[in-house]
Amino acid sequence: MIKASKAPFVCLQCRLVRPSKKPRLFRNPTATCLFSSSSSSSRPSASITSDSDIPTQSRNTAAPKPNIDIKHIRQNPSLYEQNCLERNYKTQSTYPSRIIDLFAQWQARQHDGRSLRERSNALRRQIANPATIQHEDEETESKSSSTTGSSTTTPEKNIKAMTKEQLIEEARVLKDQLSTIEEDEARLEAQMAELALAIPNLTSPETPRGQEPRVLSFINEHPEVAPSSSSDRVWRSHVHIGSELGLLDFAAAAATSGWGWYYLVDEGAQLEQALVSYALAVVTKLGLGWRQVAPPSMVYSHIAAACGFQPRDQNGEQQIYSLAQSAADAHRGKPELCLAGTAEIPLAGMKADTVLEEADLPLKFVGVSRCYRAEAGARGVDTKGLYRVHEFTKVEMFAWTPPDVAAATEVFDEMLDLQTEILQGLGLHCRVLEMPTADLGASASRKCDIEAFFPSRRNPDRGDHGWGEVTSASICTDYQARRLATRLRGSANAAGASGKMAYPWTVNGTALAVPRVLAALLENGWDEADMSVAIPECLQPWMDGKERIGVKHRRS
């Protein structure tokens, strides 16, 4: 007989129970930098070459639990592979086939675990009440005794002939084997989820394939009669104009904050407020249903990542400003915070882990916020002054729509119409572009940009006609909703049963980004003869009725 140990008493059934605490199946995407950006972010830097390279860090408990349609990826690997290649996600193009390989491994573990559980259940019944299996069919017992790859249980073993000690010992061995198999299953599920998170959204049929955008339309007339020929008009950079009129102070900002920051002074600061007020007046006019929101500028890093914004670009350079976290907060598992690069992030986060009602859609918000972007990369004449800065004010539109192409397109077109109305009122010459696959971030299925004419950006020698992006709009289908756990409950049917749960689609668009529009206004409104800038009529109500900004306002 086996002598009883001195350990505390634990009942036999409890000793055979499997561990109740299982590893989480979904991991924190912000810790892995696997999936990539939206329209304003860049390709992911992570390159996964083997199963052991796939990060499986636990998801923060505060983070929404993503639900990616991995089954659709497994069933359409060629579709996703081609989609990745068209969007310059070469590394991610291998992920669909790797998910299929991982799924095959997961199925093998499932089969092994099923056989072990059948054997373990038979052992439990014999230990608890030997009489319960006395009359079981020998063929069934033999089948349940068979374990793939196991040397401890064989078809020859007869459970009824085993002693109680033998039953307990084998049950312990099976418990350890099952624990290992379950850990493998959880690891494989987590790895499949990580790879699926890294795959970009499927591209809309409306999106041009390749590198070149498609011009859809133009807004306002070109300020020059013959743009390609020489002109007597003197064009100036907004940096020169702003400094001449005392509206911009880059030197003081460089001493205070560094390169990429700026001061708006006098009418420059007044113009910012006027532009914001004008954009809000256009978007929130009666009948369109846009609701104003004042969103926070700081968000959890996992919320930004779920929207498609990554901390670093493909070269490992910083893109998002993350807040330093104390050792105590990190030890407690407190989520990391970052500065939002656009109001799209906090607006999308408003409905994270919530259920929307189909009757409430489309749900449309417009928010004004400060935006913070590290904007790592090369600097030059194309990015000088206000064109690329680290902090700026932006008016952003964001909407949830039913999961339907027609419904999302309707809101998307409405955003484009509002953007066009805003820029048309400002008198800026612009072109509307359907952006190609090479320019899409991870979250966008379709994206349209509007570029304004910047005289200072022209360079005929390299074929640059002075265009610069001032707004964009994107349809993200259910990419963000699935990662933020934003669900949609359909309408009840005739019998009164609740509707089926689904994921809404999201659409976002820039109503107005202040620095670039302000720069375009300075350059296009400049009059060399009297050294002044014209104020568009639509902004004059917020500019104390002023029609021009002249040199007399320059600071001494």
Side-chain angles (χ1 to χ4, degrees):
M1 296 293 292
I2 300 175
K3 293 184 178 179
S5 63
K6 296 182 180 180
F9 172 77
V10 180
C11 75
L12 186 59
Q13 292 296 322
C14 293
R15 288 156 62 184
L16 298 178
V17 172
R18 293 176 295 173
S20 59
K21 188 174 183 179
K22 297 181 180 180
R24 291 189 178 274
L25 304 185
F26 293 95
R27 312 301 175 182
N28 182 4
T30 64
T32 64
C33 296
L34 279 178
F35 61 92
S36 66
S37 63
S38 70
S39 57
S40 55
S41 49
S42 57
R43 302 294 185 257
S45 59
S47 178
I48 302 174
T49 57
S50 66
D51 292 351
S52 59
D53 295 332
I54 304 174
T56 55
Q57 184 172 341
S58 297
R59 177 178 60 90
N60 191 287
T61 55
K65 184 178 179 180
N67 183 13
I68 311 303
D69 192 352
I70 299 178
K71 181 179 179 180
H72 192 266
I73 298 174
R74 294 199 324 266
Q75 293 175 340
N76 302 275
S78 299
L79 172 65
Y80 283 89
E81 178 181 353
Q82 182 63 28
N83 183 67
C84 289
L85 293 174
E86 290 176 346
R87 296 168 72 134
N88 289 339
Y89 284 78
K90 185 176 180 181
T91 300
Q92 286 72 20
S93 67
T94 64
Y95 291 177
S97 60
R98 297 197 56 203
I99 288 174
I100 292 175
D101 292 340
L102 291 170
F103 183 71
Q105 297 178 41
W106 179 84
Q107 284 184 310
R109 300 298 190 281
Q110 284 269 301
H111 181 270
D112 293 345
R114 192 178 302 111
S115 300
L116 288 176
R117 290 185 187 95
E118 290 175 356
R119 175 73 180 184
S120 179
N121 290 337
L123 291 172
R124 289 189 188 191
R125 292 196 301 271
Q126 177 68 7
I127 293 171
N129 186 3
T132 59
I133 61 171
Q134 290 298 317
H135 304 292
E136 285 189 355
D137 184 80
E138 290 295 328
E139 182 179 350
T140 303
E141 184 184 86
S142 177
K143 180 180 178 181
S144 66
S145 300
S146 176
T147 304
T148 304
S150 173
S151 60
T152 59
T153 58
T154 63
E156 289 75 18
K157 281 218 172 187
N158 190 326
I159 292 179
K160 291 182 289 185
M162 296 170 64
T163 65
K164 187 171 184 179
E165 287 74 19
Q166 289 174 328
L167 292 170
I168 293 174
E169 181 59 28
E170 183 176 342
R172 286 174 177 168
V173 172
L174 289 178
K175 178 183 174 182
D176 292 340
Q177 292 177 345
L178 279 170
S179 177
T180 301
I181 287 176
E182 288 170 354
E183 289 176 0
D184 285 345
E185 289 174 353
R187 173 183 56 81
L188 291 167
E189 287 176 336
Q191 290 176 339
M192 286 188 286
E194 292 294 349
L195 293 177
L197 285 169
I199 296 175
N201 201 352
L202 291 175
T203 306
S204 166
E206 299 291 332
T207 300
R209 268 53 181 176
Q211 304 284 335
E212 294 299 320
R214 182 171 66 248
V215 178
L216 299 179
S217 61
F218 288 90
I219 303 172
N220 295 324
E221 297 295 327
H222 197 284
E224 291 180 329
V225 178
S228 59
S229 62
S230 59
S231 171
D232 293 335
R233 181 170 179 176
V234 177
W235 296 104
R236 300 289 186 187
S237 162
H238 68 276
V239 177
H240 171 89
I241 297 169
S243 300
E244 187 73 23
L245 302 181
L247 307 178
L248 305 176
D249 193 339
F250 292 101
T256 303
S257 306
W259 191 97
W261 273 271
Y262 56 95
Y263 283 100
L264 296 178
V265 184
D266 295 332
E267 287 91 342
Q270 196 175 2
L271 271 173
E272 176 175 76
Q273 300 305 316
L275 286 168
V276 169
S277 298
Y278 166 61
L280 285 175
V282 172
V283 176
T284 60
K285 56 191 174 184
L286 293 177
L288 295 182
W290 291 91
R291 300 165 57 187
Q292 288 194 52
V293 176
S297 294
M298 277 192 290
V299 297
Y300 286 136
S301 296
H302 59 252
I303 297 293
C307 292
F309 289 79
Q310 288 301 309
R312 296 186 179 275
D313 67 4
Q314 58 186 344
N315 299 315
E317 295 178 320
Q318 184 179 357
Q319 293 292 293
I320 290 179
Y321 291 112
S322 297
L323 275 65
Q325 192 177 42
S326 68
D329 286 344
H331 180 71
R332 289 197 299 266
K334 187 175 180 180
E336 293 181 355
L337 287 166
C338 67
L339 295 173
T342 168
E344 172 191 342
I345 300 171
L347 290 176
M350 282 184 71
K351 301 301 179 182
D353 258 335
T354 59
V355 178
L356 304 179
E357 299 295 337
E358 186 178 17
D360 296 333
L361 301 186
L363 186 60
K364 301 183 290 187
F365 289 151
V366 56
V368 182
S369 73
R370 296 292 280 180
C371 304
Y372 302 88
R373 298 184 185 178
E375 294 283 13
R379 306 295 180 185
V381 66
D382 289 342
T383 60
K384 67 180 180 180
L386 295 176
Y387 193 80
R388 179 173 293 177
V389 292
H390 295 307
E391 180 182 1
F392 59 96
T393 300
K394 182 158 73 88
V395 183
E396 181 77 8
M397 298 177 287
F398 191 90
W400 293 265
T401 75
D404 175 75
V405 174
T409 302
E410 183 178 355
V411 174
F412 180 73
D413 290 341
E414 182 178 308
M415 288 183 179
L416 287 175
D417 290 342
L418 290 170
Q419 292 171 339
T420 299
E421 182 178 347
I422 290 170
L423 295 170
Q424 195 167 39
L426 293 172
L428 295 176
H429 176 56
C430 305
R431 63 177 184 175
V432 184
L433 304 175
E434 186 80 53
M435 301 309 291
T437 52
D439 195 73
L440 297 183
S443 63
S445 173
R446 181 187 177 191
K447 177 172 174 276
C448 282
D449 284 358
I450 299 182
E451 296 181 340
F453 172 64
F454 288 82
S456 67
R457 292 172 62 84
R458 286 191 300 183
N459 190 332
D461 294 337
R462 66 181 186 188
D464 192 337
H465 299 293
W467 298 109
E469 178 195 341
V470 289
T471 73
S472 67
S474 302
I475 298 177
C476 297
T477 64
D478 62 0
Y479 182 96
Q480 294 175 331
R482 283 183 173 274
R483 286 157 175 77
L484 290 169
T486 304
R487 283 95 66 202
L488 174 65
R489 181 166 35 231
S491 302
N493 56 33
S498 59
K500 182 179 179 181
M501 297 293 287
Y503 290 92
W505 286 14
T506 57
V507 186
N508 66 81
T510 305
L512 191 143
V514 169
R516 291 187 181 181
V517 172
L518 196 155
L521 290 176
L522 293 180
E523 294 189 11
N524 286 277
W526 174 249
D527 189 334
E528 183 75 13
D530 61 7
M531 304 288 285
S532 67
V533 168
I535 299 175
E537 184 178 352
C538 62
L539 298 182
Q540 292 175 14
W542 294 282
M543 294 292 293
D544 301 325
K546 295 177 184 175
E547 296 182 0
R548 304 193 71 84
I549 301 173
V551 176
K552 61 181 178 295
H553 298 291
R554 182 175 55 186
R555 295 178 63 186
S556 59

